[in-house]
Amino acid sequence: MHAAAQRIAANVERVLVGKPDVVRIALVTLLAEGHLLVEDVPGVGKTSLAKALAKSIDCSVSRLQFTPDLLPSDVTGVSIFNRQTTNFEFRPGPVFANIVVGDEINRASPKTQSALLECMEEHQVTVDGNTYRLESPFMVIATQNPIEMEGTYALPEAQRDRFTARVSIGYPDPNAELAMVDEHAGHDPLATLQPVSDAAQVRALVEAVRGVHMAPEVRRYAVELVSATRRLPEIRLGASPRSTLHLVRAARAQAALSGREFVVPDDMHAIAVPVLAHRLVLTAEAQAARRSPADMIRGLLQRVPVPQGADPAAQWVSDARGNRQ
């Protein structure tokens, strides 16, 4: 599994140069059966990241450009009357794909955005009283620009909570930007990108992640970390119980990407900010003081006690391959 994930990551990094941490979070989200929100300024590679990941795993891909006039039926599909059979036939929408790329999701109205809620949470679509299952793996990668506020709608809390993680790509450092100019100026790397995996292997990887061991102390640590966000005076709305499940799944995926069959607290620390920060709603005073949810999560990681074994010297036992467990 570790080798397969490394191949996918290396393939994506051919397009998104100099951002290994962002690629890692995208892979963690995929293996945790979640959805990814990419939020950053225009031109830093948000859509390129989504397309590169989709092409690397050779799954069915659909792309939606969200606009103010987009309708919910444009996302989920619509029933059309067939005159020959005198019956209504369902025409699937773009959401019926393994990877759904939603570009500039905050440009659509809340009514259209709500069409994704059932898809993201239950992996199914209900149209005209009929329910249609979505194929596995299923992942929504949505992008939004936080700077352009003209003609945009803020994502509702219920929709933000359904995204397992949120990442900001940020500007590349000068060396990475120079390498991007040298390699990408003459051709589009997406056009020559070849898949290194397929849907069957991704499903096998997801199944392997579900089997990663998590000790009761580590599970309790995840609950305490999420519960602590609800007690901070600077936060009006803390992380939900759904975020606890997402944190646990993402920690298992992070451990698997690190080549381990068990979760340690460091795995929680590696993915806590991307998984939890976008779910917090700050008070007006905290916003005026320019406090950020990411800084608050980092503060909690410093304050919430990390679980320790009864005998630290004998806490880890090495198996036949030398892995600590």
Side-chain angles (χ1 to χ4, degrees):
M1 174 181 175
H2 180 67
Q6 290 299 317
R7 287 197 303 270
I8 298 174
N11 212 41
V12 176
E13 288 177 21
R14 291 176 53 194
V15 176
L16 196 69
V17 180
K19 296 294 179 180
D21 291 338
V22 175
V23 175
R24 175 182 57 83
I25 293 298
L27 269 180
V28 164
T29 305
L30 173 66
L31 299 181
E33 303 175 87
H35 310 285
L36 182 66
L37 179 63
V38 188
E39 181 181 280
D40 216 320
V41 296
V44 295
K46 300 186 300 295
T47 307
S48 296
L49 168 65
K51 289 183 177 180
L53 180 61
K55 291 193 69 172
S56 296
I57 60 178
D58 196 23
C59 294
S60 59
V61 183
S62 65
R63 181 181 179 275
L64 271 169
Q65 180 64 54
F66 281 79
T67 56
D69 60 347
L70 194 71
L71 298 177
S73 58
D74 297 329
V75 178
T76 59
V78 64
S79 296
I80 299 177
F81 182 74
N82 189 328
R83 291 185 177 182
Q84 296 179 348
T85 62
T86 66
N87 292 320
F88 283 93
E89 296 180 354
F90 178 67
R91 301 292 177 85
V95 78
F96 285 85
N98 296 119
I99 304 291
V100 179
V101 181
D103 217 0
E104 296 185 304
I105 189 174
N106 56 334
R107 291 200 178 279
S109 66
K111 180 179 180 180
T112 302
Q113 292 179 13
S114 66
L116 288 172
L117 296 182
E118 182 184 14
C119 311
M120 296 172 64
E121 183 65 19
E122 302 174 39
H123 291 194
Q124 67 181 27
V125 173
T126 302
V127 178
D128 296 334
N130 297 318
T131 300
Y132 306 91
R133 295 293 302 176
L134 299 174
E135 293 184 6
S136 177
F138 175 72
M139 180 181 184
V140 174
I141 304 178
T143 71
Q144 68 171 351
N145 298 330
I147 302 300
E148 299 178 12
M149 302 308 296
E150 188 70 25
T152 62
Y153 303 85
L155 295 184
E157 285 80 5
Q159 188 169 3
R160 287 207 313 268
D161 198 46
R162 281 168 167 79
F163 283 101
T164 299
R166 180 187 66 180
V167 295
S168 295
I169 296 177
Y171 292 115
D173 59 66
N175 293 329
E177 192 163 4
L178 181 60
M180 180 184 67
V181 171
D182 293 338
E183 298 175 9
H184 299 177
H187 68 283
D188 182 8
L190 276 172
T192 59
L193 200 66
Q194 298 296 322
V196 295
S197 183
D198 54 23
Q201 187 177 41
V202 172
R203 285 193 291 268
L205 296 179
V206 169
E207 191 65 30
V209 166
R210 292 174 183 170
V212 173
H213 175 69
M214 179 175 286
E217 293 81 6
V218 181
R219 293 199 296 268
R220 191 175 300 111
Y221 179 61
V223 173
E224 292 174 354
L225 194 60
V226 174
S227 300
T229 64
R230 306 165 192 162
R231 299 190 295 268
L232 290 176
E234 301 92 348
I235 294 180
R236 181 160 56 92
L237 179 64
S240 66
R242 182 192 285 120
S243 64
T244 309
L245 297 176
H246 287 179
L247 182 65
V248 168
R249 293 171 184 167
R252 284 194 168 106
Q254 171 64 27
L257 288 179
S258 301
R260 280 182 279 101
E261 300 177 358
F262 55 92
V263 179
V264 296
D266 285 345
D267 297 320
M268 296 278 182
H269 290 200
I271 48 90
V273 172
V275 172
L276 298 178
H278 66 285
R279 308 170 192 268
L280 307 183
V281 179
L282 304 184
T283 62
E285 293 79 8
Q287 294 178 6
R290 297 183 180 275
R291 300 291 303 277
S292 73
D295 290 338
M296 294 182 182
I297 296 298
R298 295 187 186 99
L300 288 177
L301 293 176
Q302 298 291 332
R303 295 195 298 270
V304 177
V306 177
Q308 298 288 339
D311 182 5
Q315 183 177 2
W316 305 107
V317 179
S318 296
D319 61 13
R321 291 177 294 179
N323 296 324
R324 296 192 306 172
Q325 58 182 357

